């Protein structure tokens, strides 16, 4: 299990759902951090744009451990808090070994900064993104995989 510390000072990243029934810690830095403007990420998070950190599945520990995913399709699994519904984790068969965690449930959001935009063509028309990060028209899968 990676133990080099997820934050600049070597301590783990932590987070929790809205109600606090589920918390987590992660022992190694994110492999990649991305905004996603696709419809699925919007609907799952309820936000105009999703923002996620991809962690090594071996480095992420939930307390209590996650049980069955709320949503499971052929290629995607999504976990929400069973009490409050907060989106907590997603895995994608085409991104093996990675768990995607929405940035909004992290305790140290300032330490985890997005590096790219996925599905940038689908950005809400009124949303003004003024950063200079790379913007991928589609999923940016090749970039997301770089850490794995
Ligand atoms: Zn909860
Ligand atoms: Zn998406």
């Amino acid at each position: 299990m990676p133990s080099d510390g997820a934050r600049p000072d070597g301590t783990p990243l932590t987070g929790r759902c809205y109600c606090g029934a589920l918390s987590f810690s992660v022992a190694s830095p994110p492999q990649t951090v991305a905004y996603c403007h696709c419809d699925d990420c919007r609907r799952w998070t309820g936000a105009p744009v999703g923002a996620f950190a991809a962690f090594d599945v071996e480095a992420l520990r939930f307390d209590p451990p996650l049980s069955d995913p709320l949503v499971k399709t052929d290629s995607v699994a999504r976990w929400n808090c069973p009490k409050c519904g907060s989106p907590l984790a997603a895995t994608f068969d085409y991104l093996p070994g990675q768990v995607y965690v929405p940035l909004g449930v992290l305790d140290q959001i300032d330490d985890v900064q997005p590096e790219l935009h996925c599905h940038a063509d689908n950005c809400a028309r009124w949303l003004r993104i003024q950063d200079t990060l790379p913007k991928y028209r589609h999923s940016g899968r090749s970039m997301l995989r770089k850490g794995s």
Side-chain angles (χ1 to χ4, degrees):
M1 177 176 158
S3 59
D4 46 331
R7 301 173 65 198
D9 65 0
T11 57
L13 283 164
T14 57
R16 65 170 177 85
C17 67
Y18 175 71
C19 79
L22 268 157
S23 59
F24 62 87
S25 69
V26 56
S28 60
Q31 295 175 335
T32 188
V33 185
Y35 291 104
C36 187
H37 299 269
C38 85
D39 291 341
D40 285 351
C41 290
R42 275 188 202 151
R43 288 185 196 281
W44 186 47
T45 61
V49 54
F52 301 91
F55 294 108
D56 180 344
V57 67
E58 298 297 325
L60 185 60
R61 289 283 177 272
F62 278 89
D63 180 23
L66 296 176
S67 49
D68 290 338
L70 185 73
V71 179
K72 180 92 178 79
T73 69
D74 285 347
S75 59
V76 181
R78 297 181 190 275
W79 289 263
N80 292 56
C81 172
K83 282 191 173 171
C84 71
S86 288
L88 289 170
T91 59
F92 303 87
D93 284 357
Y94 48 85
L95 296 166
Q98 295 186 326
V99 182
Y100 283 75
V101 174
L103 296 192
V105 298
L106 290 169
D107 293 327
Q108 303 88 10
I109 194 167
D110 288 334
D111 289 347
V112 183
Q113 197 169 317
E115 303 163 313
L116 66 146
H117 292 266
C118 301
H119 293 277
D121 278 6
N122 203 44
C123 182
R125 295 287 170 255
W126 44 261
L127 186 58
R128 299 286 172 262
I129 302 281
Q130 297 182 323
D131 63 45
T132 55
L133 300 175
K135 293 183 172 64
Y136 293 88
R137 296 178 64 189
H138 301 297
S139 73
R141 271 178 205 182
S142 55
M143 279 297 294
L144 295 174
R145 264 201 216 100
K146 73 174 164 47
S148 60

